Amino acid sequence: MNPRRSVLYMPGANERALEKAKTLDADGLILDLEDAVAPDAKEAARERVCAAASSKEYGSREVTIRVNGLDTEWHDADLRAAAQAGPAAIVVPKVNSAAEVHNIERALELGGAPDHTKIWAMVETPVAMLHAEEIAAASERLTVLVMGTNDLAKELHAEFVPGRAPLLGGLSLALLAARATGKAILDGVYNDVKDLEGFEAECVQGRQFGFDGKTLIHPAQLEPCNRIFAPSEEEITRSRKIIAAFEEAQAAGQGVVTVDGRMIENLHVENARRILALAEAIGG
């Protein structure tokens, strides 16, 4: 299991930022060739990012490259270069259909991408929300959906409000698609880097919804994000207790198991094992 509590966007044109990323406590990094790079800096950023991704200097962090969108003049060259660099994944913005996933997969294969280089599809339009399941199911190489909440809000003509009520329909559709197809899913960014209280509240909401983690735009967001998306000591202790009680009851041939007065079923045991696996992956 790869923990993906915190996945931080890093501007591909900024050499100092790419160097600093080697020291940050992020589970994953998205080395960005899209929004963070001006048009006249795209080619230089591509070379810099691909060199960074292939350097093996980022430790256990999951290093990915975000290419420019499918409808841009830089997309094909980005994909070819990223395929050769062989990052953990290639993040593709504004994926709207299964056919687009198939095209991306074919391009990676033609570009010589190693098997470990996966596809992370950004879903950030109404069309993507309505076709999220077919996007997620389009390829085994696609392993993660990434919410693009800024673009989704723009497309919906929605306002940014605490609790994100205007976006909940889209968030729920994408989450359902990810879980139905066995893929991971990351929540979108929080724009106000100075509002850590609001950021923490949105992390809590994202975890309660079922997101695996959150994409971030500033290192100051790392600590609260890692903390909130990690199992608490209380959850770990309870999970161990549930598994032990269930296994003891099975060995004794008992059909009913209770822990602290609550009936325990297979679904509770599966969830407990997932929590412990995540805790071990984070600790390891």
Side-chain angles (χ1 to χ4, degrees), residues 10-244:
M10 300 301 293
N14 188 327
E15 189 169 358
R16 288 180 60 190
L18 296 180
E19 188 67 25
K20 182 179 180 181
K22 299 174 184 178
T23 68
L24 297 175
D25 191 20
D27 287 338
L29 301 167
I30 298 176
L31 310 185
D32 191 17
L33 296 176
E34 193 204 17
D35 289 345
V37 182
D40 60 356
K42 296 285 189 185
E43 291 189 15
R46 183 189 300 139
E47 291 183 15
R48 185 177 294 113
V49 159
C50 288
S54 60
S55 70
K56 312 300 182 187
E57 296 177 356
Y58 289 85
S60 62
R61 299 167 190 84
E62 196 169 17
V63 179
T64 72
I65 296 173
R66 179 163 75 164
V67 299
N68 285 280
L70 289 89
D71 60 348
T72 67
E73 62 185 278
W74 306 285
H75 175 77
D76 291 343
D78 285 352
L79 269 188
R80 287 194 298 270
Q84 288 297 307
I90 294 174
V91 185
V92 184
K94 292 187 177 62
V95 176
N96 286 322
S97 69
E100 291 178 350
V101 176
H102 296 153
N103 290 338
I104 295 161
E105 183 175 38
R106 193 175 304 113
L108 292 183
E109 291 170 353
L110 291 173
D115 290 342
H116 71 253
T117 297
K118 306 303 182 183
I119 298 169
W120 290 13
M122 294 196 70
V123 287
E124 43 192 337
T125 66
V127 170
M129 299 305 105
L130 294 173
H131 296 276
E133 183 182 3
E134 67 182 55
I135 291 169
S139 168
E140 288 300 311
R141 195 162 198 154
L142 191 160
T143 56
V144 179
L145 294 181
V146 181
M147 294 302 308
T149 44
N150 282 336
D151 276 278
L152 180 60
K154 177 181 76 72
E155 295 285 334
L156 293 174
H157 305 166
E159 295 183 16
F160 286 100
V161 295
R164 298 190 289 181
L167 303 184
L168 296 187
L171 295 174
S172 296
L173 286 170
L175 273 160
L176 287 167
R179 297 302 173 227
T181 56
K183 307 301 170 77
I185 183 166
L186 299 173
D187 198 0
V189 300
Y190 188 82
N191 297 314
D192 188 347
V193 297
K194 295 182 179 180
D195 179 16
L196 287 180
E197 183 178 348
F199 173 73
E200 290 201 23
E202 194 164 288
C203 285
V204 170
Q205 181 198 45
R207 183 178 176 186
Q208 289 173 343
F209 262 47
F211 283 105
D212 295 291
K214 192 167 181 66
T215 48
L216 312 176
I217 58 173
H218 195 278
Q221 297 173 328
L222 285 166
E223 186 281 326
C225 189
N226 284 337
R227 169 169 41 82
I228 290 167
F229 278 97
S232 66
E233 287 300 322
E234 182 181 354
E235 287 176 297
I236 292 170
T237 299
R238 177 169 173 77
S239 295
R240 288 175 177 154
K241 195 173 182 180
I242 286 171
I243 293 169

